[in-house]
């Protein structure tokens, strides 16, 4: 299957798209024929998570055979999640929570990052590539650990993770800096997530003009700019839908809403792909924290990144430049790559763009948006816990709050809230939200939360404190390229 850049007519096959991560023109890859692809949810109703994943992923990456994909999916997910159905949906009040955090690092990124290393290694074999694939990743906290978990000790690959110094929680930091493996590097940068992401993107662009092959290395990305990272996320939209049908909560064919805590626009974009493939979706609701650039964009059509960056209690959503919005705009504009290249140029050079009326109307058909501040986030945790005995993390809480206002004006259809992290990843905020005073030591706070709520601590987080710190590098935000080149030469 052919994939095309969002910024030009540059095309590659799906294997190359997975291996390269980002197109040489800075655009993002999408299947040329997405509008012709179909996955009928009725055909998936009685399938397991793994069977659904194999069918959906093969629809997008048809260079793999059915047998190959079934084996790859099993290798990625078999026995690695707390529950066999990988992403369970539970009823909370009158809504549903799609739990995406039951994987090895307790964040939703595990769903995609369990699959990506398998896709990369198999794509590499099929393409006859002998170079080592070096994964560069910018993280706001959760991608880094999930990518390290997915790629550590995977033969023929290496991984470097950049995270904002002081911009991640103590638990998130501990998860990353204690990572073992003979092919992993973790480095802090003096800057925020956008600086890390921009530095990594610039490194890709600079390295595209250099001959890294002479060092036996090819760069790729584990961020959601990589289509191999996004595609596995489509699966849980289908899975959740089928779970609601199986539980008798909806009838096959009913359109439902999904409320998605959003940062880089990857998770919600996968929902848009699901809708393009035929899943009955009414609205996709983009939930943001105080960094409300997407709320403004989706309600006015104007994207303006020139605003104050807020560090919030939902740090994985502290983002002002959401990469995957570009893919949504491309699709909603009817694949007008010139228009998209123009908007992205304005975003880079001026810091803003406004989409035309036609495009705005197209995206308003599917997307709604809302945001909430840190106090409202904590209130949503408290209300959900006190009202329904359900403990959610801060990111999920943003979606809970936004879902409430969304439903006031859009009463049609059932609503599924995507839950993107375990409450134990952000224990300080969660514990204070339910009225307790957290200890200074974040690891002790996990125990406090457990004592108070009896919700079990995920296996990957218990015992983190005793693990040895293995990574201590800190660099300036504009030193990412040099750092990478030095690692390549080693
Ligand atoms: C990454 C992340 C998000 C944001 O997802 P995007 O795909 O970047 O929009 C939300 N919540 C948590 C906990 C995350 O780790």
């Amino acid at each position: 299957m052919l994939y095309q850049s969002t910024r030009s007519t540059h095309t590659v096959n799906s294997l190359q798209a997975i291996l390269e991560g980002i197109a040489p023109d800075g655009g993002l890859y999408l299947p040329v024929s997405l509008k012709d692809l179909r996955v009928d949810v009725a055909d998936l109703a009685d399938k397991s998570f793994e069977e659904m994943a194999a069918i959906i992923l093969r629809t997008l990456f048809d260079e793999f055979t059915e047998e190959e994909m079934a084996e790859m999916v099993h290798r990625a997910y078999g026995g690695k999640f707390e529950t066999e159905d990988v992403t369970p949906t539970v009823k909370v009040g009158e809504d549903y929570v799609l739990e995406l955090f039951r994987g090895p690092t307790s964040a939703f990124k595990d769903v995609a990052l369990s699959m990506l290393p398998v896709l990369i290694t198999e794509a590499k074999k099929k393409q006859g590539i002998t170079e080592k694939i070096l994964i560069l990743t910018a993280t706001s906290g959760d991608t880094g650990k999930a990518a390290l978990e997915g790629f550590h000790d995977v033969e023929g690959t290496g991984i470097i993770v950049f995270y904002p110094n002081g911009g991640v929680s103590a638990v998130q930091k501990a998860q990353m800096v204690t990572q073992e493996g003979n092919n992993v590097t973790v480095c802090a940068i003096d800057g925020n997530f956008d600086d890390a992401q921009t530095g990594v993107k610039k490194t890709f662009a600079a390295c595209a003009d250099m001959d890294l092959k002479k060092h036996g290395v090819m760069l790729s990305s584990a961020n959601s700019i990589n289509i191999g990272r996004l595609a596995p996320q489509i699966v849980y939209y289908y899975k959740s839908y089928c779970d609601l049908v199986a539980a008798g909560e909806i009838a096959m064919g009913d359109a439902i809403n999904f409320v998605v805590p959003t940062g880089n626009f990857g998770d919600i974009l996968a929902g848009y792909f699901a809708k393009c493939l035929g899943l009955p979706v009414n609205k996709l609701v983009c939930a943001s924290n105080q960094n409300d650039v997407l709320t403004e964009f989706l309600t006015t059509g104007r994207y303006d990144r020139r605003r104050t960056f807020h560090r919030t209690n939902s740090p994985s959503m502290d983002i002002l430049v959401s990469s995957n919005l570009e893919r949504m705009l491309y699709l909603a504009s009817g694949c007008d790559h010139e228009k998209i290249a123009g908007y992205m140029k304005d975003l880079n050079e001026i810091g803003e763009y406004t989409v035309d009326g036609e495009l705005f109307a197209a995206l308003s058909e599917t997307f709604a948006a809302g945001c909430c501040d840190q106090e409202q986030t904590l209130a949503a945790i408290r209300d959900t816990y006190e009202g329904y005995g359900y403990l959610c993390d801060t990111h999920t809480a943003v979606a809970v709050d936004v879902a409430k206002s969304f439903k006031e004006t859009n009463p049609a259809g059932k609503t599924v809230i995507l839950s993107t992290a375990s409450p134990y990843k952000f224990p300080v905020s969660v514990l204070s939200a339910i009225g307790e005073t957290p200890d200074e030591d974040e690891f002790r706070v996990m125990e406090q939360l457990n004592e108070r709520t009896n919700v079990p601590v995920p296996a990957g987080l218990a015992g983190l404190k005793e693990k040895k710190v293995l990574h201590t590098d800190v660099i300036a935000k504009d030193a990412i390229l040099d750092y990478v080149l030095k690692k390549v030469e080693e």
Side-chain angles (χ1 to χ4, degrees):
M1 187 176 300
L2 283 181
Y3 278 66
Q4 184 172 327
S5 165
T6 46
R7 295 190 196 177
S8 73
T9 55
H10 175 77
T11 49
V12 295
N13 70 23
S14 71
L15 305 172
Q16 284 166 291
I18 293 168
L19 290 168
E20 284 176 28
I22 187 165
D25 56 26
L28 307 179
Y29 286 119
L30 277 170
V32 170
S33 56
L34 184 64
K35 65 177 189 323
D36 304 322
L37 303 178
R38 273 278 164 285
V39 176
D40 189 349
V41 66
D43 296 342
L44 301 187
D46 54 353
K47 301 262 189 289
S48 69
F49 180 93
E50 287 188 19
E51 287 166 335
M52 281 186 199
I55 291 168
I56 292 167
L57 291 174
R58 240 205 110 235
T59 305
L60 289 163
F61 305 128
D62 63 359
E63 277 85 356
F64 296 103
T65 67
E66 271 176 45
E67 293 71 33
E68 285 171 339
M69 194 56 92
E71 185 281 324
M72 287 160 64
V73 164
H74 184 65
R75 207 190 320 156
Y77 295 109
K80 285 203 201 138
F81 282 65
E82 281 175 35
T83 59
E84 198 173 326
D85 61 352
V86 182
T87 58
T89 298
V90 297
K91 191 160 184 176
V92 176
E94 60 180 32
D95 300 323
Y96 307 87
V97 173
L98 167 54
E99 295 187 335
L100 302 175
F101 57 83
R102 301 273 175 203
T105 78
S106 307
F108 95 97
K109 309 229 165 34
D110 285 327
V111 182
L113 284 164
S114 299
M115 193 66 214
L116 182 65
V118 181
L119 284 169
I120 287 188
T121 11
E122 295 307 310
K124 189 176 160 206
K125 272 189 214 155
K126 270 199 194 285
Q127 289 290 91
I129 287 173
T130 50
E131 284 87 17
K132 173 166 133 181
I133 308 282
L134 181 61
I135 305 291
L136 298 189
T137 295
T139 186
S140 55
D142 293 331
T143 301
K145 177 60 186 180
L148 290 163
E149 187 66 34
F151 281 98
H152 77 89
D153 299 319
V154 172
E155 216 185 300
T157 72
I159 173 164
I160 309 179
V161 169
F162 296 98
Y163 71 92
N165 205 9
V168 302
S169 79
V171 172
Q172 288 176 315
K173 181 174 172 185
Q175 280 187 302
M176 291 189 279
V177 298
T178 60
Q179 178 68 46
E180 294 167 10
N182 58 22
N183 61 344
V184 303
T185 305
V186 178
C187 177
I189 64 144
D190 279 324
N192 61 31
F193 170 72
D194 287 311
D195 297 323
Q197 175 155 268
T198 307
V200 165
K201 281 190 183 168
K202 281 189 182 150
T203 303
F204 276 114
C207 290
D209 303 329
M210 289 179 209
D211 189 16
L212 294 188
K213 289 207 165 129
K214 69 171 188 263
H215 298 289
V217 169
M218 179 179 162
L219 295 186
S220 190
S221 166
N223 284 103
S224 53
I225 52 178
N226 192 325
I227 191 72
R229 160 84 191 274
L230 273 176
Q233 299 181 206
I234 301 169
V235 179
Y236 47 72
Y237 285 91
Y238 275 86
K239 177 75 169 80
S240 189
Y241 189 95
C242 290
D243 285 347
L244 292 193
V245 173
E249 300 285 340
I250 57 169
M252 186 58 82
D254 289 353
I256 63 172
N257 308 302
F258 290 96
V259 185
V260 189
T262 297
N264 226 354
F265 212 78
D267 203 3
I268 195 167
L269 183 78
Y272 188 57
F273 285 172
K275 185 172 172 146
C276 294
L277 292 174
L279 187 71
V281 173
N282 178 31
K283 286 278 192 233
L284 293 167
V285 186
C286 173
S288 302
N289 62 26
Q290 213 174 340
N291 295 294
D292 58 356
V293 62
L294 286 169
T295 311
E296 181 180 277
F297 175 68
L298 291 170
T299 50
T300 68
R302 177 160 174 272
Y303 197 102
D304 187 353
R305 70 169 163 85
R306 299 165 304 177
R307 60 180 70 216
T308 312
F309 176 89
H310 300 283
R311 281 182 197 256
T312 73
N313 53 14
S314 48
S316 301
M317 294 153 65
D318 291 347
I319 295 177
L320 294 182
V321 182
S322 297
S323 295
N324 275 298
L325 194 63
E326 178 169 349
R327 281 190 168 106
M328 188 274 274
L329 295 176
Y330 177 83
L331 292 169
S333 72
C335 306
D336 187 340
H337 63 83
E338 282 169 9
K339 193 186 266 183
I340 303 310
Y343 291 150
M344 293 306 125
K345 190 161 175 274
D346 289 347
L347 181 64
N348 270 337
E349 292 173 5
I350 316 168
E352 67 156 321
Y353 62 90
T354 303
V355 296
D356 60 43
E358 201 185 336
L359 178 47
F360 184 63
L363 63 90
S364 303
E365 247 172 61
T366 303
F367 292 92
C371 57
C372 75
D373 65 23
Q374 304 197 64
E375 285 308 312
Q376 290 167 310
T377 305
L378 297 179
I381 295 175
R382 187 194 61 225
D383 294 348
T384 311
Y385 187 64
E386 287 178 0
Y388 311 109
Y390 188 82
L391 190 67
C392 70
D393 95 294
T394 48
H395 303 75
T396 310
V398 169
V400 168
D401 181 89
V402 170
K404 201 168 96 200
S405 355
F406 168 74
K407 288 194 303 178
E408 282 163 12
T409 46
N410 297 268
K414 303 274 183 181
T415 297
V416 175
I417 294 163
L418 275 63
S419 176
T420 49
S422 158
Y424 284 98
K425 276 205 100 161
F426 305 94
V428 175
S429 301
V430 174
L431 189 73
S432 8
I434 58 172
E436 301 283 321
T437 309
D439 192 89
E440 262 178 35
D441 176 1
E442 200 171 308
F443 297 95
R444 169 71 197 123
V445 183
M446 276 199 236
E447 293 166 9
Q448 285 181 292
L449 192 56
N450 175 256
E451 286 154 14
R452 164 76 203 271
T453 65
N454 280 324
V455 174
V457 183
L461 297 179
L464 201 53
K465 192 180 175 184
E466 280 71 47
K467 290 185 93 180
K468 192 164 169 232
V469 172
L470 302 169
H471 308 275
T472 51
D473 286 358
V474 184
I475 61 170
K477 66 182 178 189
D478 53 9
I480 291 181
L481 174 62
D482 288 344
Y483 187 84
V484 170
L485 290 177
K486 219 167 81 208
K487 291 280 166 192
V488 166
E489 277 158 25
E490 282 170 16

